Amino acid sequence: MPVVVKLDDVLHARRMTLTELAAAVDISVVNLSILKTGKARAIRFSTLEAICAVLDCQPGDILRFEGGEA
C-alpha cells in the first residue's frame, strides 16, 4: 500500500487514545480504527480536517506516500 497512515504515531505523541479522538471528532471508534490500521480505502476531507484540528497537526503528519514507480 503506497499510502501509509501514521495516526497511531500522532496519537501517541499527543498522549491521546483512539476513543478520545473518536469522541472529539464525532466519528465511531470502529471507523477510526479502520483508518489507523491502513485498511480504509478513502477518507473524506471533512474527516481529515476534523482529525487535524483536534490533533493540531497537518495531513502530512498523518498520511505518508511510500509509492514507487507508477
Side-chain angles (χ1 to χ4, degrees):
M1 178 182 199
V3 175
V4 177
V5 180
K6 302 184 301 179
L7 181 58
D8 209 23
D9 296 338
V10 178
L11 284 172
H12 181 72
R14 304 295 192 276
R15 294 191 169 127
M16 181 179 272
T17 66
L18 197 64
T19 304
E20 292 169 334
L21 179 61
V25 179
D26 196 28
I27 296 174
S28 74
V29 174
V30 172
N31 284 339
L32 275 180
S33 180
I34 290 169
L35 176 64
K36 184 182 89 160
T37 59
K39 295 180 181 175
R41 297 181 53 80
I43 183 170
R44 293 177 189 250
F45 282 123
S46 59
T47 302
L48 185 58
E49 183 179 304
I51 291 170
C52 288
V54 169
L55 294 176
D56 190 30
C57 67
Q58 294 295 314
D61 297 331
I62 296 171
L63 304 172
R64 180 177 65 231
F65 180 70
E66 289 188 350
E69 295 179 25

